Amino acid sequence: MNSLNAAPVPASIDALVQALQSVGYFADRRLATAVFLALKLQRPLLLEGEPGVGKTALAKALSEVLSRSLIRLQCYDGLEQREALYEWNYAAQLLHMRAAEMLTPTLRTDVSSLPPEGALAALGRPGGGSVAPMATAARDIEAEVYQDRYLIRRPLLQALQAPAPGAVLLIDEVDRADEPFEAFLLEYLGEYQVSIPEIGTVRATATPVTLLTSNRTRDLHDAVKRRCLYHWLDYPERERELAIVRAQVPGASEALAVQVAEFVGRLRSQPFANAFQRAPGIAESVEWAKALVALDTIVVDPEVVSDTAGILFKQREDVAALTRDMAVQLLQPADADA
């Protein structure tokens, strides 16, 4: 996307709702209010909720609405700072040093026998040792190898250095990373800046729109939450889910779209929800509707439910729990429960 032609922030909550709907994302007013305030106050927004409720999709929709590039940092257990922020191009730095050796005999004597990281340490890289006092030429090389051209930017640094009006940064599934990584994020979340030992403090060129998502597999530290606006994103109500199915599966008849929305909505409700480890998300509703259209389904019946249960559920136990008798109950008209 061309950031030079970026769209302005919608002027109101209603305008934001309409803008999101124009790109296929149907937000209720509470969610739209949280997003609107995050944009106006330039604060990160932490979205928590069950998998499949539209947290990641919101970041994608916002990038379209605002015409800003989307930068995604996918979190996982063991994620390191260098994978999120930056790292140095050691190979290019070493080539630079080898070229310098040809012109500086003293430097050749000191570092030629060292591996790449050892050679950088010998030049005074923070945290490294020293094999011998370096000549003035070596100190000059030290400054040269830590130039911008040798810096490999990862998502956080890319977001901070994105040209005006800025990027949309998605820090996805932050609950999968460990607590030290949360602590590392605090400077960025609180001040939109990061500290790089060899360069100094890097501040945002333009404030990035920042969304963090969490499936709440563990509680995040209060320090992270204090730096963000917060919204719990729940499963959609029937009318919103029906609107999503209509928009995402235009080939579905109105009757089929209604059946899908009602069936999945009831499946998530009590007492049926207790039978499953994880209820289907919006993504599963949409995929199920697409599958039913592909099967030329006119009316959903228990046999079709049984045959396509693997689209609604991703756990063997959940597929087995969706029995034919349960499907019959779920397909009954809503007034039949009264």
Side-chain angles (χ1 to χ4, degrees), residues 183-198:
F184 160 72
L185 283 177
L186 297 182
E187 182 182 15
Y188 172 87
L189 296 175
E191 304 169 65
Y192 290 114
Q193 67 177 40
V194 293
S195 298
I196 298 178
E198 301 89 346

Side-chain angles (χ1 to χ4, degrees), residues 231-313:
H231 182 78
W232 174 265
L233 192 55
D234 211 340
Y235 292 113
E237 296 178 354
R238 175 189 177 279
E239 290 305 317
R240 188 160 71 92
E241 186 148 29
L242 179 55
I244 293 170
V245 173
R246 286 171 177 155
Q248 297 294 325
V249 195
S253 67
E254 179 64 17
L256 184 62
V258 169
Q259 268 202 299
V260 168
E262 289 185 347
F263 182 90
V264 177
R266 296 186 69 194
L267 192 151
R268 297 186 190 123
S269 66
Q270 299 300 337
F272 303 106
N274 289 336
F276 307 105
Q277 295 181 25
R278 180 196 156 191
I282 299 173
E284 284 77 23
S285 297
V286 171
E287 286 303 308
W288 192 44
K290 290 179 179 179
L292 295 175
V293 170
L295 293 172
D296 296 323
T297 304
I298 298 175
V299 176
V300 180
D301 57 34
E303 183 178 354
V304 170
V305 171
S306 178
D307 291 343
T308 58
I311 299 174
L312 289 170
F313 297 103

Side-chain angles (χ1 to χ4, degrees), residues 13-14 16-18 20-21 25-36 47 53 58 231-237 239-241 244:
I13 297 171
D14 290 335
L16 178 60
V17 170
Q18 294 174 5
L20 289 171
Q21 286 185 8
Y25 191 93
F26 293 80
D28 60 27
R29 189 169 181 83
R30 287 183 62 249
L31 174 58
T33 300
V35 174
F36 182 79
L47 297 170
V53 294
L58 175 59
H231 182 78
W232 174 265
L233 192 55
D234 211 340
Y235 292 113
E237 296 178 354
E239 290 305 317
R240 188 160 71 92
E241 186 148 29
I244 293 170

Side-chain angles (χ1 to χ4, degrees), residues 151-186:
L151 189 64
I152 301 174
R153 292 165 178 80
R154 299 307 185 196
L156 289 181
L157 191 56
Q158 290 172 17
L160 289 175
Q161 296 187 329
V168 174
L169 174 64
L170 170 63
I171 304 177
D172 211 9
E173 297 185 319
V174 67
D175 54 318
R176 295 183 62 183
D178 52 24
E179 292 186 5
F181 184 76
E182 284 186 55
F184 160 72
L185 283 177
L186 297 182

